[in-house]
Amino acid sequence: MRLPPSPESWGCPPAWMNDFGGLFAWTLPSGWKSRRVNIGAFARLRVFAAGRKDLIALKFLAHRTRDLEHLAVLRPSEAELTFVRR
């Protein structure tokens, strides 16, 4: 079996994969798991991404400059903004 390139070979720091995201799980809107997007399975690793509504909500919550720039590109609909406000 051929192993994929290491994350370090892509310029990722050694601890790029960690469970720090779990610290912020409380910020996810209710029902997020049913809206997540399956990115794929890579050996025993299953990868999911936040659904669009949840991503928009998280970017509003983080409110960093780069998140606000991402929101400008995402151009949330009125329905998505209503979702975030709940």
Side-chain angles (χ1 to χ4, degrees), residues 46-59:
R46 291 178 53 202
V47 179
F48 294 91
R52 180 177 164 88
K53 288 180 180 179
D54 299 300
L55 178 62
I56 290 168
L58 291 169
K59 294 214 168 270

Side-chain angles (χ1 to χ4, degrees), residues 24 27-29 50 53-63 67:
F24 303 99
T27 64
L28 290 166
K53 288 180 180 179
D54 299 300
L55 178 62
I56 290 168
L58 291 169
K59 294 214 168 270
F60 269 108
L61 181 66
H63 211 74
D67 294 304

Side-chain angles (χ1 to χ4, degrees), residues 18-35:
N18 56 59
D19 61 354
F20 296 153
L23 296 172
F24 303 99
W26 64 271
T27 64
L28 290 166
S30 179
W32 67 269
K33 213 174 222 184
S34 66
R35 293 183 297 273

Side-chain angles (χ1 to χ4, degrees), residues 14 23 26 36-37 42-43 64 66 69 81 85-86:
L23 296 172
W26 64 271
R36 67 187 175 174
V37 177
F42 308 91
R64 299 172 296 191
R66 66 179 170 208
E69 291 168 354
L81 293 175
R85 289 184 193 112
R86 329 182 268 141

